[in-house]
Each structure stands twice: as structure tokens, then as C-alpha cells.
Amino acid sequence: MTMLTIENLVKSFQGSGSKKRKGTEDPDARVFAVNDISLDVGEGEMFTLLGPSGCGKTTTLRSVAGLERPDSGRLNVAGRDLFSGGVDGKTLNVPANKRGLGMVFQSYAIWPHMTVFDNVAFPLQVRKRSERPGKREISDRVGKVLETMELSHLADRQATKLSGGQQQRLALARAIVIEPPLLLLDEPLSNLDAKLRESLRYELKRLQRDLGITSIYVTHDQIEALALSSTIAVMKDGVVLQQGRPREVYESPNCKFVAEFIGTSNFLPGTVIGHEGDFVDVDTAVGRMRLESSVKIPTGDAVIAAVRPESFELSVKRWGDRVNEFSGTVSNRAFLGDAVDHIVRIRDATVRVRGNPSLSVEPGTEVFLSADPSQVTLVPVD
Ligand code: ADP
Ligand code: MG
């Protein structure tokens, strides 16, 4: 079943003129933040809008939420029209507070003067009398959601006394307690440090899978998108350039922009061969790789180990004591001004390594690579 349909969505803003370069642009020209987007999101999907800053992701999400009024198009959630208009002069526009959607944004936006419990209970308590659950039911539902988000032990704590990660989990708890047909997530992890981001990313994925909440996720981080999504729509300048499963998008980009935007990472297919504490060992094309992950992916599962080019360290000498140490041969190099890229052949695989230009190694040379387990990201294959 389709949970969200976006049809020919257009949203423009009055240009501020501030970006005007002398004589080149009309200061009053409208900025088409969303320029005719159509997409369908199926029930239970984790659908990601991925693209660089300014490409229109937030505007698309805010339009769905009812926080922006589109110029034209149609928005339908679970069979119910939320917006349609712009063509024949007649416009339907359901106000944001009547759309019943869950939302989590980059800033935590929790209610500071309330406890954790009250923050989550609030969206249920403010419902109008006929739709408000009883006290007992509210308490049960809040309890369940807090448990899911691993916040039960903090129920009575003042919301401001939580860490950043806990606050963001609280924002999520508050968004899902109303059991929305659609959950809208706008870069919800971008204010968190890398470690927390990884663990919350998987928590989100688990939550999304366990609860089956259809979610729209906005990010500019391609690894995050690959790790989380069932479908990715790559956006640029207000339009969707390509849409597909994560694997399709990175294996078969349909244009140069998508290839460059997604393709700056090394994706090494492999199989989980074991666990040890917070570490997972994966057999990949370059050899056995250890990575740090709080997520327990079963042994035997196919995964992809993603390593950013700058996360590989390159050396002409063997370290001998590194966890992920591989030997290979430089097949190519490219100077990028402030960095140098080496293309290194390891067994049957090729990886890109980005480093300081002070180390530039001639093609044909044997080199050694290492990647810290915390810098290797698990991307599920499904
Ligand atoms: P993203 O979330 O992908 O970074 P946005 O949707 O925030 O992108 O913005 C898309 C474009 O629309 C940008 O050029 C941005 O400057 C412009 N824009 C967004 N909101 C407004 C606004 N309220 N007024 C004017 N321009 C805006
Ligand atoms: Mg944004």
C-alpha cells in the first residue's frame, strides 16, 4: 500500500536579493526550492531524501508536514488528501496540527520544563476530549514507547538534564507515541557526535523495522542514507535525479552528479563471520575486517563495509600491529590540491584512499592500508 504520494509538488520562495551578483540575477526572482517532485512511499518504508545542502529536502518535508504551503501539487497520506491545489484555483490545505504526522528535527525541540514522561505524554494529553485516551492508557502507551527508546529509567528526569543522544531519543519517543501513519525525520542525527550517531542510526532502523512506521528521512550524508534506507531519492536543485534501493543508487548511478555524490566511499561487500563485544568481523574482498558496531548483525549475513577514502591510512611500511591492516599495490594517484588520492589494488578489490599530499606514492609501489574499526560503517544489504 502507498502511504505517501507526492504529485508534482512545487514550492518557491521570494528571492531575498542578498545573493545577487552585480547585474547577473534578478533580486526578485523566485527560488524554486522544490521544483516539480513526484514520488510514492510504500507502507513500512524508510524513504530517504538525500542531497546537498539547499537542494530542497527540508522544504519537501515541511510541505508534507503542513509547515509550508506549496505553490501547487498534491499530497496524500494513507489515502487522505492533505494538500491539493494550484491548478484550478481551488485549494485543499489541511493544517499541520490536523495532519497527525510525527516529526523530529535536527534541533531536539523537547519541552524543557517537563519531565521525560510528560514530554511523551503531552501529544496525547492535548488531543481533544473525544480522541484523548484515558489516563491509564496514556500511561501504558508512554511506558511502552519509553521502553522502546530505552528511556524508562529516566522517566521522571527533567528533559533538560538529558544528554544530547537521550534528548534526541526523547524527541523520537514523542513523535511515535501518537502512532503516526508517517514519521518525518529531518537530519535528526546531525547534531550528535559520530559514535552516538551510529548507534542511534541503528536504533532508528530497528525501531522502524519493528514498529513498521513509514518514515521519510532527510540527510545530506550518503553513508547514513545507505545504512538506513529502503529507498533513496537523490535530490539536486529542487528535483529528484534518481530513486532506487541503496544498492541500485550506488551501483548504477544514472548521472554524474549521483555518481559523485554517492560514490566517494569504498563499499566492500562481505559476510559477517563473528562478534566480539562491540566488534563485528566481516570477511570482505580485501580480507577480514573488524568494525565497531553496537548492532548485532547475525553471523552469515551479507553486509557492506563502508570506508570513507579519508578513513584509510596509507603507509609504505608495514605496521604489523594494526587491527585492519591490508597490503596492496598503488594503481593510480591523483592530486586534489589539499589532498592526494591513491587508488590501491588489494586482491580483487580496488579502494580509494585520501590523504595528506605530503605522502604521495608512485603507482606500482607496494603499500599498506589500515582503517580503525570505528571508522568502518556497516551497511546492511537487503
Ligand atoms: P535543504 O534542506 O536540502 O538544505 P531547503 O529546503 O532548506 O534545502 O532549501 C532549498 C532552497 O530554498 C534553498 O535555496 C533555500 O535557500 C531556499 N529556502 C528555503 N526556505 C526558504 C525561505 N523560508 N525563504 C526563502 N528561501 C528559502
Ligand atoms: Mg535542510
Side-chain angles (χ1 to χ4, degrees):
M1 194 180 105
T2 305
M3 276 309 270
L4 166 69
T5 302
I6 298 180
E7 257 176 42
N8 303 110
L9 184 72
V10 176
K11 171 66 187 172
S12 62
F13 293 103
Q14 190 65 49
S16 64
S18 57
K19 282 191 206 155
K20 187 189 176 198
R21 249 181 283 124
K22 248 182 254 150
T24 53
E25 277 170 67
D26 175 2
D28 297 324
R30 297 191 74 80
V31 177
F32 282 84
V34 178
N35 200 357
D36 198 357
I37 283 185
S38 298
L39 43 92
D40 286 316
V41 178
E43 190 172 2
E45 273 209 69
M46 183 71 154
F47 191 103
T48 296
L49 301 174
L50 170 69
S53 173
C55 72
K57 306 179 296 293
T58 294
T59 307
T60 304
L61 209 66
R62 284 173 57 86
S63 299
V64 175
L67 301 171
E68 297 289 356
R69 187 196 168 92
D71 300 357
S72 60
R74 193 170 79 94
L75 299 166
N76 181 291
V77 171
R80 173 181 174 223
D81 271 341
L82 299 181
F83 178 88
S84 84
V87 214
D88 54 4
K90 266 193 269 169
T91 300
L92 164 83
N93 190 19
V94 177
N97 61 355
K98 295 267 163 17
R99 294 192 180 193
L101 307 179
M103 284 179 265
V104 180
F105 296 104
Q106 191 171 338
S107 52
Y108 313 130
I110 46 157
W111 289 296
H113 54 285
M114 290 185 193
T115 63
V116 167
F117 183 95
D118 290 338
N119 258 278
V120 181
F122 191 73
L124 298 174
Q125 285 161 343
V126 295
R127 287 190 171 175
K128 62 172 186 271
R129 194 170 275 272
S130 59
E131 292 166 13
R132 193 187 312 151
K135 243 191 149 128
R136 181 66 188 272
E137 194 194 330
I138 291 185
S139 170
D140 285 352
R141 275 171 69 173
V142 173
K144 235 164 93 192
V145 171
L146 289 179
E147 204 173 299
T148 308
M149 295 313 301
E150 290 167 21
L151 288 169
S152 302
H153 60 296
L154 300 169
D156 297 326
R157 191 171 289 188
Q158 203 70 21
T160 45
K161 304 241 163 70
L162 299 179
S163 69
Q166 289 166 340
Q167 290 194 18
Q168 201 54 317
R169 292 217 303 272
L170 175 57
L172 264 168
R174 211 183 44 189
I176 60 178
V177 76
I178 60 168
E179 294 168 10
L182 195 61
L183 184 61
L184 307 174
L185 303 156
D186 192 351
E187 315 227 11
L189 308 183
S190 61
N191 278 348
L192 306 172
D193 66 53
K195 213 179 152 115
L196 210 53
R197 204 154 57 220
E198 199 242 354
S199 80
L200 258 180
R201 187 195 289 158
Y202 275 96
E203 233 165 280
L204 255 177
K205 177 121 182 160
R206 171 183 59 85
L207 196 73
Q208 203 269 334
R209 199 165 28 204
D210 291 357
L211 305 182
I213 308 178
T214 312
S215 311
I216 315 287
Y217 192 88
V218 160
T219 182
H220 63 272
D221 182 330
Q222 90 274 32
I223 297 232
E224 197 161 288
L226 290 164
L228 269 174
S229 321
S230 53
T231 304
I232 296 176
V234 184
M235 289 181 64
K236 186 194 176 207
D237 296 340
V239 300
V240 172
L241 294 177
Q242 185 173 7
Q243 184 185 317
R245 293 160 66 83
R247 226 191 149 87
E248 279 164 29
V249 175
Y250 78 75
E251 280 181 353
S252 325
N254 67 355
C255 62
K256 188 160 175 280
F257 179 85
V258 173
E260 284 174 356
F261 194 74
I262 303 273
T264 52
S265 234
N266 297 294
F267 299 106
L268 305 163
T271 311
V272 174
I273 48 177
H275 296 265
E276 202 185 307
D278 269 355
F279 296 104
V280 182
D281 292 320
V282 178
D283 189 23
T284 75
V286 299
R288 187 193 177 114
M289 259 195 157
R290 170 159 281 206
L291 51 92
E292 198 179 333
S293 174
S294 41
V295 201
K296 294 281 168 277
I297 296 193
T299 301
D301 267 21
V303 291
I304 288 161
V307 190
R308 294 182 193 274
E310 61 273 22
S311 298
F312 270 122
E313 199 181 329
L314 181 97
S315 167
V316 287
K317 276 205 297 247
R318 188 187 291 276
W319 291 281
D321 59 349
R322 296 269 173 113
V323 180
N324 293 321
E325 191 172 324
F326 310 99
S327 65
T329 309
V330 173
S331 59
N332 220 332
R333 68 180 158 176
F335 291 99
L336 306 166
D338 55 349
V340 58
D341 273 8
H342 289 91
I343 308 297
V344 179
R345 185 105 196 130
I346 306 173
R347 300 188 189 178
D348 291 333
T350 307
V351 300
R352 178 183 291 268
V353 181
R354 182 159 299 173
N356 194 291
S358 62
L359 179 63
S360 176
V361 182
E362 215 163 304
T365 313
E366 182 181 33
V367 288
F368 301 90
L369 296 185
S370 79
D372 191 86
S374 67
Q375 300 296 308
V376 185
T377 307
L378 259 191
V379 177
V381 186
D382 49 12

